[in-house]
Amino acid sequence: METIRKLAILADAAKYDASCASSGAGKRDSRASGGIGSTEGAGICHSYTPDGRCVSLLKILLTNFCIYDCAYCVNRVSSNVPRARFSVAEVVALTMDFYKRNYIEGLFLSSGIIRNADYTMEQMVEVARQLREDHRFSGYIHLKTIPEASPELLAAAGRHADRLSINIELPTEEGLSSFAPEKSLPSIRGAMGELRWRIEEAKEAKVASEASPTTVAAPAPAAPAKRAGRARAPRFAPAGQSTQMIVGADGASDQQILGAADNLYGNYRMRRVYYSAFSPIPDASRLLPVQAPPLAREHRLYQADWLLRFYGYGVDEITDTTQNGMLDLDIDPKLAWAIRHPERFPVDLNVASKEMLLRVPGLGVRNVKRVLMARRHGRLRVADVARLRAPMSKLLPFVQLADHHPRRALDDPTALRARLAPPPRQASLFPDAAA
């Protein structure tokens, strides 16, 4: 099979995995080492780092052959789809060729399971090893790891990759056993624990090496002189680990999904949990729903995830128990919480704590910092807050300022919700002509 045909099949098969963002990668530029590649610069932008850099990734599978029969996976062994397989050399060559043409700045590599977990993982690790050691590639590498692979292979993967990920797929053990009988939640969590302690061990070693510098050995006479420096600590997946959960394939509620995510953040120091709305796949299993969940559900889960990580909310606070643990699709979860708790408002922006400011609809982390700084110099007024470019229609019903009080706006939460919820909009039959 021609390489271009393999690429079409295996790139398309990789599109279902959402956990390929590159946030957290360290800055590396091969101009200093004389190698190839970089995690900086701009190409075809697909992923964004926290400081705003765009990182484009070649996102492919090593192969879409698989011995597993996961009902939700288009590449399961019982699926009637075209199959292809790259060799290690082909993936390395594609990555280098695409990089040199400025198409990409990194590689996201996953794979179906062939022969067994160790054989597959060994092939992916060899791709990363050849890129790093043989081609001196300094760009971003993300490897999808296999829970059943040996600890030695997981360790080798972390030495070459910037980020590792293991997809938990479904939030409950019951769901996983029903839809992916060959997979085991304890096995997945065990591998996540293995990665966690290796990542933390590498961080501790780095801190220790920076605290106690050692002198580099004297160079050979023919080599250029080098300055004394610190011994470099071994690296291990410096951008951490991530995972993905499928939304809407099983009957798990948003509360169960967020509960699983909260556990992963707390116990395994997960850098990101990605949520992927189930999409009907070709030749689908009869176990799966025939219709995809609304995309708004995936969007609300990402918003709720942000509240868990940066705003100090708990899972029980975010999910409304009156809706069977499901998020409100019409309004964002932060606004939904505020409307359910009118007794906590209005919040006086001139005296409230940072924790309470973070719960005000319309105020993000950055604007909360600006409010805290601005009120040191005087009492805030509506005009001061407007300069923050916050959504005033959402914010004003919940705050008190020197020249503003919401009065009785919070007395009728139902009417307030109706006023703040976006009006329903009829979908256009001609999207390109819509205003």
Side-chain angles (χ1 to χ4, degrees), residues 56-261:
S56 54
L57 305 175
L58 173 61
K59 184 180 178 183
I60 56 173
L61 300 183
L62 184 67
T63 179
N64 65 341
F65 286 99
C66 191
I67 62 175
Y68 289 174
D69 198 26
C70 305
Y72 49 78
C73 182
V74 69
N75 302 313
R76 66 189 185 280
V77 67
S78 61
S79 179
N80 185 25
V81 296
R83 305 286 181 172
R85 177 179 174 181
F86 279 129
S87 67
V88 169
E90 285 175 319
V91 176
V92 172
L94 278 171
T95 304
M96 298 303 298
D97 288 347
F98 279 144
Y99 176 80
K100 290 173 182 178
R101 289 170 172 80
N102 197 34
Y103 293 162
I104 63 165
E105 295 165 274
L107 171 68
F108 174 91
L109 183 62
S110 184
S111 181
I113 311 300
I114 44 177
R115 297 192 189 177
N116 54 57
D118 278 353
Y119 175 81
T120 308
M121 194 72 236
E122 186 176 13
Q123 297 283 297
M124 290 196 289
V125 169
E126 180 61 15
V127 169
R129 187 203 67 77
Q130 288 190 22
L131 285 171
R132 294 293 194 219
E133 297 181 0
D134 298 347
H135 297 274
R136 303 173 73 185
F137 180 72
S138 296
Y140 180 84
I141 297 179
H142 181 152
L143 292 183
K144 182 68 63 176
T145 50
I146 303 169
E148 295 78 14
S150 69
E152 292 77 15
L153 286 171
L154 294 180
R159 286 196 294 270
H160 302 300
D162 292 277
R163 173 170 287 183
L164 302 175
S165 59
I166 301 173
N167 283 356
I168 197 169
E169 306 292 13
L170 297 170
T172 65
E173 192 163 3
E174 295 77 17
L176 199 63
S177 61
S178 298
F179 290 86
E182 294 92 351
K183 293 185 177 181
S184 162
L185 194 57
S187 173
I188 293 172
R189 291 186 180 272
M192 288 177 172
E194 174 87 11
L195 296 183
R196 175 193 165 174
W197 78 259
R198 289 186 182 278
I199 291 170
E200 292 183 344
E201 185 179 53
K203 289 180 179 178
E204 291 172 1
K206 181 179 179 181
V207 171
S209 68
E210 291 174 351
S212 55
T214 56
T215 304
V216 175
K226 295 182 180 180
R227 291 188 303 169
R230 297 182 176 92
R232 180 176 296 180
R235 70 191 296 275
F236 188 92
Q241 62 172 319
S242 61
T243 190
Q244 172 179 294
M245 280 190 278
I246 300 170
V247 177
D250 62 350
S253 67
D254 293 338
Q255 187 173 41
Q256 288 175 303
I257 292 171
L258 291 172

Side-chain angles (χ1 to χ4, degrees), residues 105-427:
E105 295 165 274
L107 171 68
F108 174 91
L109 183 62
S110 184
S111 181
I113 311 300
I114 44 177
R115 297 192 189 177
N116 54 57
D118 278 353
Y119 175 81
T120 308
M121 194 72 236
E122 186 176 13
Q123 297 283 297
M124 290 196 289
V125 169
E126 180 61 15
V127 169
R129 187 203 67 77
Q130 288 190 22
L131 285 171
R132 294 293 194 219
E133 297 181 0
D134 298 347
H135 297 274
R136 303 173 73 185
F137 180 72
S138 296
Y140 180 84
I141 297 179
H142 181 152
L143 292 183
K144 182 68 63 176
T145 50
I146 303 169
E148 295 78 14
S150 69
E152 292 77 15
L153 286 171
L154 294 180
R159 286 196 294 270
H160 302 300
D162 292 277
R163 173 170 287 183
L164 302 175
S165 59
I166 301 173
N167 283 356
I168 197 169
E169 306 292 13
L170 297 170
T172 65
E173 192 163 3
E174 295 77 17
L176 199 63
S177 61
S178 298
F179 290 86
E182 294 92 351
K183 293 185 177 181
S184 162
L185 194 57
S187 173
I188 293 172
R189 291 186 180 272
M192 288 177 172
E194 174 87 11
L195 296 183
R196 175 193 165 174
W197 78 259
R198 289 186 182 278
I199 291 170
E200 292 183 344
E201 185 179 53
K203 289 180 179 178
E204 291 172 1
K206 181 179 179 181
V207 171
S209 68
E210 291 174 351
S212 55
T214 56
T215 304
V216 175
K226 295 182 180 180
R227 291 188 303 169
R230 297 182 176 92
R232 180 176 296 180
R235 70 191 296 275
F236 188 92
Q241 62 172 319
S242 61
T243 190
Q244 172 179 294
M245 280 190 278
I246 300 170
V247 177
D250 62 350
S253 67
D254 293 338
Q255 187 173 41
Q256 288 175 303
I257 292 171
L258 291 172
D262 192 47
N263 176 273
L264 292 170
Y265 285 128
N267 292 332
Y268 301 98
R269 300 294 186 267
M270 203 64 54
R271 183 63 66 91
R272 283 294 302 273
V273 175
Y274 293 87
Y275 308 94
S276 179
F278 165 72
S279 176
I281 56 178
D283 194 26
S285 167
R286 288 181 294 177
L287 294 173
L288 296 172
V290 295
Q291 189 173 2
L295 286 176
R297 185 181 177 193
E298 177 187 307
H299 179 57
R300 297 301 181 208
L301 283 168
Y302 275 112
Q303 290 177 320
D305 182 275
W306 213 255
L307 297 182
L308 285 175
R309 296 164 61 207
F310 302 112
Y311 288 77
Y313 285 76
V315 173
D316 293 336
E317 292 182 288
I318 297 171
T319 52
D320 186 0
T321 55
T322 63
Q323 298 190 48
N324 298 317
M326 302 300 289
L327 297 172
D328 193 325
L329 298 183
D330 293 330
I331 57 177
D332 70 79
K334 188 177 182 182
L335 177 59
W337 180 87
I339 290 174
R340 292 198 304 270
H341 295 278
E343 74 281 358
R344 305 287 294 272
F345 299 93
V347 172
D348 189 339
L349 296 192
N350 286 294
V351 297
S353 65
K354 177 182 178 181
E355 291 71 24
M356 197 59 212
L357 290 176
L358 286 170
R359 295 193 173 228
V360 174
L363 281 185
V365 173
R366 186 176 300 175
N367 275 344
V368 165
K369 291 180 180 178
R370 291 171 176 167
V371 167
L372 292 172
M373 292 180 64
R375 72 187 192 186
R376 298 175 185 173
H377 307 287
R379 291 180 59 77
L380 298 178
R381 307 175 75 86
V382 171
D384 300 318
V385 178
R387 281 193 286 269
L388 299 177
R389 297 185 179 180
M392 300 300 286
S393 60
K394 180 188 289 188
L395 187 150
L396 289 178
F398 297 97
V399 300
Q400 177 180 337
L401 294 156
D403 58 347
H404 167 76
H405 192 284
R407 304 302 175 192
R408 304 183 66 85
L410 296 166
D411 289 352
D412 189 349
T414 303
L416 181 60
R417 183 191 183 283
R419 180 157 63 89
L420 295 177
R425 186 176 61 180
Q426 174 66 45

